[in-house]
Amino acid sequence: MAELKLSGIVKNFGAVRVLHGIDLVVQDGEMIVIVGASGCGKSTLLRIVAGLERSTGGTVLIDDRDVTALEPAARDIAMVFQNYALYPHMRVFDNMAYGLRIRGLSKEDIKRRVQEAADLLGLSELLDRRPRELSGGQRQRVAMGRAIVREPKLFLFDEPLSNLDAKLRVAMRAEIKRLQRRLGVTSLFVTHDQVEAMTLGDRLVVMHEGRAAQIASPMEIFERPADTYVAGFIGSPSMNFLPATITEDAKAATLSDGNIIALPPGQFAARPGQKVTLGIRPEHISLTGPLRLTIDLVEPLGSECVVHGKLASGEIMALRLPGAPPSATVLDIAPRTEHLHVFDAETGKRLPPPA
Amino acid sequence: MAEARNSIAAPVGMAGSNPRADMLTHVVLVLGVLLFALPIWIVLMGSTHDAGTIGRGDVPLLPGAEAAANYSAVWNQGNKQRAGVPVSTMMFNSAIMALLITFGKIAISIISAYAVAFFSFPGRMLFFWAIFITLMLPVEVRIFPTFQVVSDLGLVNTYAGLIVPLIASATATLLFRQFFLTIPDELVEAAKMDGAGPIRFFKDVVLPLSATNIAALFVILFVYGWNQYLWPLLVTTSTDVETIMIGIVKMLGSQGDTEWHLVMATTVLALLPPVAIVILMQRWFVKGLVETEK
Ligand SMILES: Nc1ncnc2c1ncn2[C@@H]1O[C@H](COP(=O)(O)OP(=O)(O)OP(=O)(O)O)[C@@H](O)[C@H]1O
Ligand SMILES: [Mg+2]
């Protein structure tokens, strides 16, 4: 159990900079999920924390101790890998016990700890098996067990669920969350699955091209995304974006087809004439209004349906509607004002609240 | 294993449905077996007859009565007329040489492969290529300079002189390196997180995972070492360190006075250790396959 503090983490691979100065403070017992598209540097960041990769700049502090230059073993961290990385020739028991043996624990201590972890994870019956005699889910548990028995200061997970089938993934997700709560170990969890990120994390780090685009709680990120990247990345289907210009009184925005959309009062500091991007989530659209949507695809999902279509101005929109698919081919719609997001068109940043 | 058996069983089953093809298959197989087994059978039978039988030019196909006498003669005294060394001594020398070459080759090559595959150090690729290039320099090519070195070091007629020059092995190094490259990086990293240093990782993970490869190489290298002829011929002149391959050749006289029954008995004895190793290690080999596969 510990506090992790990253400041100014920079990483170059040759001439290519993949991390551009990451700052992050993880509180004791907190579960932080790092989420982002493939190649944005999530694994690299995690591996720098683990000590498997040397950072080009910046420091890693665990409980205020500078571990930037320490070997992985000296950092007291446990990691769960995507492909589990179990020792194929060792029994489950030995896989979990190996790290403890190296640390020189007594036989009884090792036995007790492994037994406890095995009970916790439902592995007691499997301790004599070898990894190849286990299912994917069971291997996943052994990998978790190997981390738990170490009683480390920090857990690191690098996409540990991505090799499991959909159902098992949901089950393991809940289990990891419960375990982490129960053990109270500070954790960093990397995933590219936004549902996993939203459900697991106390806070999320949304990464984009080697930068932390936003660090906040899941609901905060969903309700107040910091820029258009985060807004488009979190939420499914993605948020709709419409280019617009702020009106003279700065209380509304004019769309490209001339329709005027009112802004939620007192939330955004907009300048008259400013070019902006309006963001509106598919579930935040009302079925009466000035915008005319021509439907070209309907995806029924049972309890709701997703409607894809085109506005008169040519922009495409997705809507999430409760119940059965609409029978009409054309819908009159409008964004619900209170759920409107406004971003600067140039920088992509969310407009700040008025001072 | 089960899969391999099935895939072999399938064609046999198919042939069974056609009696004529079945016959033909069997005839070919039996001929093949005879072709390979007959010389060995003749040697085996010849070693159980007295000197006269083969001397008359007979080729005995049935066992004779002299087996015990012949074998105990060569085992204990060797070839008396030629003041030869007992076969037991030669077998012992051969065994020492083959085993030390095998262990030496495996030990050195697995360690160098470990260095080349898992560590980055200055000149790593240079060392790798240096090892690779020695593939082009087998013992036969460098035999005279090697002999010069060995004799300058005063190692002629010693086990060291016999064995050391044969120990370095580029082939085994390359084989191990290729195998090591298939060990996933994440396994290495998991071991690092668990706190295993390079030596522990080698001992606890790399060695056990290499068991299959080691067993296979052991068989190949033991047979290689046992069959060495040219180098021992050059570097041994005293009978103390004479190997069995040299011994057999020395037993062949030049004027038709060869004691063929003794030569054959010696040959049979010389055959036994490699056969034993193959049979013994094969079981290990299969066990290794079953246990380490992912
Ligand atoms: N050893 C390396 N040498 C050079 N470039 C690397 C190396 N490792 C990673 N990179 C590059 O760094 C960037 C970030 O890689 P990283 O593995 O951290 O991505 P990621 O966010 O984990 O992606 P994914 O979701 O696909 O796992 C990528 O562009 C990758 O090509
Ligand atoms: Mg990754």
Side-chain angles (χ1 to χ4, degrees):
Chain A
M1 264 156 273
E3 185 193 73
L4 170 72
K5 203 178 280 175
L6 306 179
S7 43
I9 300 288
V10 171
K11 176 69 187 175
N12 297 349
F13 283 115
V16 185
R17 174 157 294 195
V18 298
L19 291 179
H20 302 258
I22 305 274
D23 299 303
L24 175 67
V25 178
V26 186
Q27 309 294 336
D28 188 8
E30 198 178 18
M31 174 87 148
I32 294 275
V33 176
I34 303 174
V35 63
S38 187
C40 68
K42 309 181 293 288
S43 299
T44 308
L45 183 63
L46 202 69
R47 293 163 51 80
I48 287 173
V49 175
L52 295 170
E53 200 89 64
R54 285 257 170 278
S55 61
T56 312
T59 54
V60 181
L61 302 184
I62 298 178
D63 275 343
D64 291 322
R65 186 170 70 119
D66 188 344
V67 299
T68 319
L70 293 188
E71 287 295 313
R75 297 185 179 200
D76 201 8
I77 290 177
M79 183 157 172
V80 178
F81 294 87
Q82 176 171 356
N83 66 6
Y84 321 133
L86 302 177
Y87 308 114
H89 59 293
M90 294 186 195
R91 297 175 307 137
V92 167
F93 181 92
D94 299 312
N95 259 289
M96 303 214 282
Y98 187 55
L100 302 180
R101 291 210 179 106
I102 292 179
R103 280 177 170 68
L105 267 72
S106 72
K107 270 215 161 62
E108 298 81 63
D109 277 349
I110 293 178
K111 197 149 185 235
R112 182 181 48 76
R113 282 212 208 173
V114 171
Q115 201 63 56
E116 277 174 17
D119 289 344
L120 197 62
L121 292 162
L123 289 171
S124 311
E125 309 293 309
L126 306 176
L127 287 177
D128 281 327
R129 301 241 193 123
R130 278 171 218 279
R132 68 185 170 82
E133 299 162 339
L134 301 177
S135 72
Q138 290 167 335
R139 285 181 209 187
Q140 174 61 57
R141 273 168 224 264
V142 177
M144 299 266 306
R146 185 166 67 178
I148 290 174
V149 292
R150 291 256 316 274
E151 297 176 6
K153 288 192 166 155
L154 205 60
F155 276 158
L156 304 179
F157 301 86
D158 193 352
E159 308 202 19
L161 303 181
S162 53
N163 284 354
L164 303 179
D165 68 45
K167 207 166 164 190
L168 198 53
R169 199 179 313 167
V170 174
M172 281 308 287
R173 193 168 77 200
E175 194 160 330
I176 288 181
K177 176 105 181 166
R178 222 171 305 145
L179 266 176
Q180 196 270 339
R181 281 277 152 77
R182 177 157 165 198
L183 301 171
V185 180
T186 315
S187 307
L188 277 183
F189 189 108
V190 163
T191 177
H192 56 245
D193 182 315
Q194 51 157 311
V195 180
E196 225 166 272
M198 297 288 281
T199 50
L200 272 177
D202 295 321
R203 283 191 299 150
L204 310 189
V205 178
V206 182
M207 285 192 52
H208 179 43
E209 293 179 349
R211 291 188 171 81
Q214 189 169 9
I215 302 177
S217 71
M219 282 327 282
E220 167 87 10
I221 283 184
F222 188 77
E223 283 166 1
R224 275 184 295 283
D227 60 25
T228 47
Y229 178 79
V230 177
F233 188 80
I234 299 288
S236 173
S238 286
M239 186 184 278
N240 300 298
F241 294 111
L242 301 173
T245 312
I246 300 293
T247 54
E248 288 305 318
D249 59 3
K251 289 195 171 125
T254 315
L255 297 182
S256 55
D257 58 2
N259 275 307
I260 292 184
I261 307 278
L263 301 184
Q267 284 201 21
F268 298 100
R271 286 179 282 107
Q274 186 178 12
K275 297 263 183 261
V276 295
T277 303
L278 298 184
I280 184 73
R281 294 205 183 270
E283 55 271 38
H284 295 154
I285 293 175
S286 62
L287 286 180
T288 50
L291 304 182
R292 174 147 290 209
L293 184 82
T294 313
I295 299 179
D296 53 31
L297 179 66
V298 178
E299 299 171 329
L301 299 173
S303 62
E304 57 182 21
C305 62
V306 176
V307 176
H308 299 269
K310 218 177 223 171
L311 292 180
S313 56
E315 274 113 19
I316 51 171
M317 280 272 246
L319 274 64
R320 227 160 95 177
L321 303 175
S327 49
T329 58
V330 176
L331 296 176
D332 288 325
I333 59 169
R336 298 228 292 268
T337 310
E338 68 275 24
H339 291 297
L340 205 58
H341 305 266
V342 186
F343 305 95
D344 186 276
E346 257 169 54
T347 63
K349 294 262 181 277
R350 182 184 189 84
L351 293 193
Chain B
M1 273 313 283
E3 277 165 41
R5 245 183 245 135
N6 288 344
S7 65
I8 292 168
V12 173
M14 280 192 305
S17 62
N18 181 344
R20 235 191 312 155
D22 204 21
M23 274 276 285
L24 191 67
T25 318
H26 274 93
V27 168
V28 170
L29 279 175
V30 168
L31 279 179
V33 168
L34 282 182
L35 201 65
F36 282 104
L38 193 62
I40 297 173
W41 179 253
I42 290 176
V43 170
L44 200 56
M45 291 305 111
S47 69
T48 61
H49 288 267
D50 58 12
T53 315
I54 307 170
R56 284 194 302 274
D58 291 354
V59 178
L61 287 176
L62 291 173
E66 303 295 319
N70 288 348
Y71 281 98
S72 92
V74 290
W75 184 258
N76 293 317
Q77 292 122 43
N79 198 342
K80 268 174 295 182
Q81 287 147 349
R82 241 171 267 286
V85 197
V87 168
S88 52
T89 307
M90 297 193 288
M91 294 265 288
F92 177 76
N93 288 337
S94 274
I96 292 279
M97 177 177 77
L99 284 175
L100 286 183
I101 287 179
T102 307
F103 281 118
K105 270 181 187 284
I106 289 177
I108 288 187
S109 57
I110 201 169
I111 293 170
S112 17
Y114 186 59
V116 172
F118 285 103
F119 297 86
S120 58
F121 50 89
R124 173 165 84 135
M125 281 328 265
L126 186 77
F127 284 108
F128 174 68
W129 282 107
I131 294 171
F132 193 74
I133 283 172
T134 60
L135 272 182
M136 293 189 286
L137 301 170
V139 178
E140 289 75 11
V141 176
R142 56 188 159 88
I143 198 152
F144 287 112
T146 311
F147 182 79
Q148 185 69 48
V149 171
V150 169
S151 89
D152 285 354
L153 290 173
L155 292 178
V156 173
N157 281 325
T158 61
Y159 283 129
L162 200 53
I163 291 160
V164 172
L166 296 179
I167 274 187
S169 173
T171 323
T173 309
L174 292 175
L175 282 176
F176 278 124
R177 175 183 176 266
Q178 285 322 105
F179 169 66
F180 290 166
L181 293 183
T182 67
I183 294 181
D185 285 346
E186 292 192 355
L187 203 59
V188 182
E189 294 177 345
K192 271 191 203 164
M193 302 296 296
D194 268 342
I199 292 183
R200 276 206 88 122
F201 181 67
F202 181 73
K203 182 167 76 69
D204 293 342
V205 181
V206 172
L207 268 189
L209 288 181
S210 310
T212 321
N213 289 267
I214 294 177
L217 269 173
F218 188 92
V219 173
I220 295 167
L221 294 178
F222 182 85
V223 174
Y224 164 90
W226 186 264
N227 288 343
Q228 278 302 311
Y229 175 66
L230 188 58
W231 179 248
L233 186 66
L234 218 65
V235 86
T236 61
T237 51
S238 121
T239 50
D240 295 344
V241 288
E242 192 167 287
T243 65
I244 188 128
M245 291 302 147
I246 307 286
I248 290 175
V249 176
K250 279 194 182 167
M251 279 184 178
L252 302 176
S254 45
Q255 290 103 29
D257 56 353
T258 307
E259 295 173 301
W260 283 110
H261 61 301
L262 296 186
V263 174
M264 289 185 181
T266 309
T267 313
V268 170
L269 288 175
L271 207 63
L272 292 181
V275 169
I277 291 284
V278 169
I279 292 172
L280 205 80
M281 294 307 275
Q282 193 199 349
R283 294 170 64 195
W284 231 83
F285 192 71
V286 172
K287 189 167 156 242
L289 269 185
V290 172
E291 291 205 340
T292 59
E293 94 193 1
K294 250 189 85 177

